[in-house]
Coordinates of all heavy atoms in Angstrom, one line a residue:
G1 N -8.0 23.5 7.4 CA -7.1 24.5 7.8 C -5.7 24.4 7.2 O -4.7 24.9 7.8
I2 N -5.6 23.7 6.1 CA -4.2 23.5 5.5 C -4.1 24.1 4.2 O -3.1 23.9 3.5 CB -3.9 22.0 5.5 CG1 -4.9 21.2 4.7 CG2 -3.7 21.4 6.9 CD1 -4.5 19.7 4.5
Y3 N -5.2 24.8 3.7 CA -5.1 25.4 2.4 C -4.1 26.5 2.4 O -4.0 27.3 3.4 CB -6.5 26.0 2.0 CG -6.5 26.6 0.6 CD1 -6.5 25.8 -0.5 CD2 -6.4 28.0 0.5 CE1 -6.4 26.4 -1.8 CE2 -6.4 28.6 -0.8 CZ -6.4 27.8 -1.9 OH -6.3 28.4 -3.1
G4 N -3.3 26.6 1.4 CA -2.2 27.6 1.3 C -1.0 27.3 2.1 O -0.1 28.2 2.3
T5 N -0.9 26.1 2.6 CA 0.3 25.7 3.4 C 1.1 24.6 2.6 O 0.5 23.9 1.7 CB -0.1 25.1 4.7 OG1 -0.8 23.9 4.6 CG2 -0.9 26.1 5.5
I6 N 2.3 24.3 3.0 CA 3.1 23.3 2.4 C 2.5 21.9 2.6 O 2.4 21.1 1.7 CB 4.5 23.3 2.9 CG1 5.3 24.5 2.3 CG2 5.3 22.0 2.6 CD1 6.7 24.7 2.8
M7 N 1.9 21.7 3.8 CA 1.3 20.4 4.1 C 0.0 20.2 3.3 O -0.3 19.1 2.9 CB 0.9 20.3 5.6 CG 0.3 19.0 6.0 SD 1.3 17.6 5.6 CE 2.8 17.8 6.6
G8 N -0.7 21.3 3.0 CA -1.8 21.2 2.1 C -1.5 20.7 0.7 O -2.2 19.9 0.2
V9 N -0.4 21.3 0.2 CA 0.0 20.8 -1.2 C 0.5 19.4 -1.1 O 0.1 18.6 -2.0 CB 1.2 21.7 -1.7 CG1 1.7 21.3 -3.0 CG2 0.8 23.2 -1.7
A10 N 1.2 19.0 0.0 CA 1.6 17.6 0.1 C 0.5 16.6 0.2 O 0.5 15.6 -0.4 CB 2.5 17.5 1.3
V11 N -0.6 17.0 1.0 CA -1.7 16.1 1.1 C -2.5 15.9 -0.2 O -2.9 14.8 -0.5 CB -2.7 16.7 2.2 CG1 -4.0 16.0 2.2 CG2 -2.1 16.6 3.6
V12 N -2.6 17.0 -1.0 CA -3.3 16.9 -2.3 C -2.5 16.0 -3.2 O -3.0 15.1 -3.9 CB -3.5 18.3 -2.9 CG1 -4.0 18.2 -4.3 CG2 -4.4 19.1 -2.0
H13 N -1.2 16.1 -3.2 CA -0.3 15.2 -4.0 C -0.5 13.8 -3.6 O -0.7 12.9 -4.4 CB 1.1 15.6 -3.9 CG 1.6 16.7 -4.8 ND1 1.6 16.6 -6.1 CD2 2.1 17.9 -4.5 CE1 2.0 17.7 -6.7 NE2 2.3 18.5 -5.7
A14 N -0.6 13.5 -2.3 CA -0.8 12.1 -1.8 C -2.1 11.6 -2.2 O -2.2 10.4 -2.6 CB -0.6 12.1 -0.3
V15 N -3.2 12.4 -2.1 CA -4.5 11.9 -2.4 C -4.6 11.6 -3.9 O -5.2 10.6 -4.2 CB -5.5 13.0 -2.0 CG1 -6.9 12.7 -2.6 CG2 -5.6 13.2 -0.5
L16 N -4.1 12.4 -4.7 CA -4.2 12.2 -6.2 C -3.4 11.0 -6.7 O -3.7 10.4 -7.6 CB -3.8 13.5 -6.9 CG -4.7 14.7 -6.7 CD1 -4.1 15.9 -7.5 CD2 -6.1 14.4 -7.2
S17 N -2.3 10.7 -6.0 CA -1.4 9.6 -6.4 C -1.8 8.3 -5.8 O -1.4 7.2 -6.3 CB 0.0 9.9 -6.1 OG 0.2 10.0 -4.7
L18 N -2.6 8.3 -4.8 CA -3.0 7.1 -4.1 C -3.6 6.0 -4.9 O -3.2 4.8 -4.8 CB -3.9 7.4 -2.9 CG -4.1 6.2 -1.9 CD1 -2.8 5.7 -1.3 CD2 -5.1 6.7 -0.8
P19 N -4.6 6.3 -5.8 CA -5.1 5.2 -6.6 C -4.1 4.5 -7.5 O -4.1 3.2 -7.5 CB -6.2 5.9 -7.5 CG -6.6 7.1 -6.7 CD -5.3 7.6 -6.0
V20 N -3.3 5.2 -8.2 CA -2.4 4.6 -9.1 C -1.3 3.8 -8.4 O -1.0 2.7 -8.7 CB -1.7 5.7 -10.0 CG1 -0.5 5.1 -10.8 CG2 -2.7 6.3 -10.9
L21 N -0.8 4.4 -7.3 CA 0.3 3.7 -6.5 C -0.3 2.4 -5.9 O 0.4 1.4 -5.8 CB 0.8 4.7 -5.4 CG 1.6 5.8 -5.9 CD1 2.2 6.6 -4.8 CD2 2.7 5.4 -6.9
T22 N -1.5 2.5 -5.4 CA -2.1 1.3 -4.8 C -2.2 0.2 -5.8 O -1.9 -1.0 -5.5 CB -3.5 1.6 -4.2 OG1 -3.4 2.6 -3.2 CG2 -4.1 0.4 -3.6
L23 N -2.7 0.5 -7.0 CA -2.8 -0.5 -8.0 C -1.4 -1.1 -8.4 O -1.2 -2.3 -8.6 CB -3.4 0.1 -9.3 CG -4.9 0.4 -9.1 CD1 -5.4 1.2 -10.3 CD2 -5.7 -0.8 -8.9
I24 N -0.4 -0.2 -8.4 CA 1.0 -0.7 -8.7 C 1.5 -1.7 -7.6 O 2.0 -2.8 -8.0 CB 2.0 0.5 -8.8 CG1 1.7 1.3 -10.1 CG2 3.4 0.0 -8.8 CD1 2.5 2.6 -10.2
F25 N 1.3 -1.3 -6.4 CA 1.7 -2.2 -5.3 C 0.9 -3.5 -5.3 O 1.4 -4.6 -5.1 CB 1.7 -1.5 -4.0 CG 2.8 -0.6 -3.7 CD1 2.6 0.8 -3.6 CD2 4.1 -1.1 -3.5 CE1 3.7 1.7 -3.4 CE2 5.2 -0.2 -3.3 CZ 4.9 1.2 -3.2
R26 N -0.4 -3.4 -5.5 CA -1.2 -4.6 -5.5 C -0.8 -5.5 -6.5 O -0.8 -6.7 -6.3 CB -2.7 -4.1 -5.6 CG -3.7 -5.2 -5.4 CD -4.2 -5.7 -6.8 NE -5.1 -6.8 -6.6 CZ -5.6 -7.6 -7.7 NH1 -5.2 -7.3 -8.9 NH2 -6.4 -8.6 -7.5
N27 N -0.6 -5.0 -7.8 CA -0.2 -5.9 -8.9 C 1.2 -6.5 -8.6 O 1.5 -7.7 -9.1 CB -0.2 -5.1 -10.2 CG -1.6 -4.8 -10.6 OD1 -2.5 -5.5 -10.3 ND2 -1.7 -3.8 -11.5
Y28 N 2.0 -5.8 -7.9 CA 3.4 -6.4 -7.6 C 3.3 -7.5 -6.6 O 4.0 -8.5 -6.7 CB 4.3 -5.2 -7.1 CG 5.7 -5.6 -6.9 CD1 6.6 -5.7 -7.9 CD2 6.2 -5.9 -5.6 CE1 7.9 -6.1 -7.8 CE2 7.5 -6.3 -5.4 CZ 8.4 -6.4 -6.5 OH 9.7 -6.7 -6.3
Y29 N 2.4 -7.4 -5.6 CA 2.3 -8.3 -4.5 C 1.4 -9.5 -4.8 O 1.5 -10.5 -4.1 CB 1.8 -7.6 -3.2 CG 2.7 -6.6 -2.7 CD1 2.3 -5.5 -2.1 CD2 4.1 -6.9 -2.6 CE1 3.1 -4.5 -1.6 CE2 5.0 -5.9 -2.1 CZ 4.5 -4.8 -1.5 OH 5.3 -3.8 -1.0
K30 N 0.5 -9.4 -5.8 CA -0.5 -10.4 -5.9 C 0.0 -11.8 -6.3 O -0.7 -12.8 -6.0 CB -1.5 -9.9 -7.0 CG -1.0 -10.0 -8.4 CD -2.1 -9.6 -9.4 CE -1.7 -9.8 -10.8 NZ -2.7 -9.5 -11.8
D31 N 1.2 -11.9 -6.9 CA 1.7 -13.2 -7.3 C 2.6 -13.8 -6.3 O 3.3 -14.8 -6.5 CB 2.3 -13.2 -8.6 CG 1.3 -13.1 -9.8 OD1 0.1 -13.4 -9.5 OD2 1.6 -12.6 -10.9
I32 N 2.8 -13.2 -5.1 CA 3.5 -13.8 -4.0 C 2.9 -15.1 -3.6 O 1.6 -15.1 -3.4 CB 3.7 -12.8 -2.8 CG1 4.5 -11.6 -3.2 CG2 4.3 -13.6 -1.6 CD1 4.7 -10.6 -2.1
P33 N 3.6 -16.2 -3.6 CA 2.9 -17.5 -3.3 C 2.1 -17.5 -2.0 O 2.6 -17.0 -0.9 CB 4.1 -18.5 -3.2 CG 5.2 -17.8 -4.0 CD 5.0 -16.4 -3.8
Q34 N 0.9 -18.0 -2.0 CA 0.1 -18.0 -0.8 C 0.7 -18.9 0.3 O 0.4 -18.7 1.5 CB -1.3 -18.5 -1.2 CG -2.4 -18.4 -0.1 CD -2.6 -17.0 0.3 OE1 -2.6 -16.1 -0.5 NE2 -2.8 -16.8 1.6
E35 N 1.5 -19.8 -0.1 CA 2.1 -20.7 0.9 C 3.0 -19.9 1.9 O 3.1 -20.2 3.1 CB 3.0 -21.8 0.3 CG 2.3 -22.8 -0.5 CD 1.8 -22.4 -1.9 OE1 2.1 -21.2 -2.3 OE2 1.0 -23.1 -2.5
I36 N 3.6 -18.8 1.3 CA 4.5 -17.9 2.2 C 3.6 -17.3 3.3 O 3.9 -17.2 4.4 CB 5.2 -16.9 1.4 CG1 6.2 -17.6 0.5 CG2 5.9 -15.9 2.3 CD1 7.0 -16.6 -0.4
M37 N 2.4 -16.8 2.8 CA 1.5 -16.1 3.7 C 0.9 -17.1 4.8 O 0.8 -16.8 6.0 CB 0.4 -15.5 2.9 CG 0.8 -14.3 2.1 SD 1.3 -12.9 3.2 CE -0.2 -12.5 4.1
S38 N 0.6 -18.3 4.3 CA 0.0 -19.3 5.2 C 1.1 -19.7 6.3 O 0.7 -19.8 7.5 CB -0.4 -20.5 4.4 OG -1.4 -20.2 3.5
A39 N 2.3 -19.9 5.8 CA 3.4 -20.2 6.8 C 3.6 -19.1 7.8 O 3.8 -19.3 9.0 CB 4.6 -20.5 6.1
A40 N 3.5 -17.9 7.3 CA 3.8 -16.7 8.2 C 2.6 -16.6 9.2 O 2.9 -16.3 10.4 CB 3.9 -15.4 7.4
I41 N 1.4 -16.8 8.8 CA 0.2 -16.8 9.7 C 0.3 -17.9 10.7 O 0.0 -17.7 11.9 CB -1.1 -16.8 8.9 CG1 -1.2 -15.6 8.0 CG2 -2.3 -17.0 9.8 CD1 -2.4 -15.6 7.1
M42 N 0.7 -19.1 10.3 CA 0.9 -20.2 11.3 C 1.9 -19.9 12.3 O 1.9 -20.4 13.4 CB 1.2 -21.5 10.5 CG 0.0 -22.0 9.7 SD 0.5 -23.5 8.8 CE 0.8 -24.6 10.1
D43 N 2.9 -19.1 11.9 CA 4.0 -18.8 12.9 C 3.6 -17.6 13.7 O 4.5 -16.9 14.3 CB 5.3 -18.5 12.2 CG 5.9 -19.7 11.6 OD1 5.6 -20.8 12.1 OD2 6.7 -19.6 10.6
S44 N 2.3 -17.3 13.9 CA 1.7 -16.3 14.7 C 2.1 -14.9 14.1 O 2.4 -13.9 14.9 CB 2.2 -16.4 16.1 OG 1.8 -17.6 16.7
G45 N 2.2 -14.8 12.8 CA 2.5 -13.5 12.2 C 1.3 -12.6 12.1 O 0.3 -13.1 11.5
S46 N 1.3 -11.5 12.7 CA 0.2 -10.5 12.6 C 0.3 -9.8 11.2 O 1.3 -9.9 10.5 CB 0.3 -9.5 13.7 OG 1.4 -8.7 13.6
F47 N -0.7 -9.0 10.9 CA -0.7 -8.2 9.7 C 0.6 -7.3 9.6 O 1.2 -7.3 8.6 CB -2.0 -7.3 9.7 CG -2.1 -6.4 8.5 CD1 -2.8 -6.8 7.4 CD2 -1.5 -5.1 8.5 CE1 -2.9 -6.0 6.3 CE2 -1.7 -4.3 7.4 CZ -2.4 -4.8 6.3
W48 N 0.9 -6.6 10.6 CA 2.0 -5.7 10.6 C 3.4 -6.4 10.7 O 4.3 -6.0 10.0 CB 1.9 -4.6 11.7 CG 0.8 -3.7 11.5 CD1 -0.4 -3.6 12.2 CD2 0.7 -2.7 10.5 NE1 -1.2 -2.7 11.7 CE2 -0.6 -2.1 10.7 CE3 1.5 -2.3 9.4 CZ2 -1.0 -1.0 9.8 CZ3 1.1 -1.2 8.6 CH2 -0.2 -0.6 8.8

């Protein structure tokens, strides 16, 4: 029900850009030291 609407155009843009942007963010974050993540988890850090 969003074809021909502004939200429909926005959703299509988001869907088409998601693969490339996800790869960009993943490559940026992948070399963050695992020790930082381990320390955060030990301090009761949740995902969010």
Side-chain angles (χ1 to χ4, degrees):
I2 57 175
Y3 181 77
T5 66
I6 287 178
M7 183 54 65
V9 181
V11 168
V12 173
H13 277 297
V15 168
L16 294 178
S17 62
L18 188 59
V20 173
L21 293 184
T22 299
L23 291 173
I24 290 174
F25 281 114
R26 186 261 178 188
N27 289 338
Y28 186 81
Y29 293 141
K30 71 174 183 177
D31 286 339
I32 292 178
Q34 188 60 40
E35 290 79 6
I36 295 179
M37 290 295 297
S38 300
I41 294 172
M42 289 179 63
D43 289 338
S44 301
S46 64
F47 179 92
W48 291 109

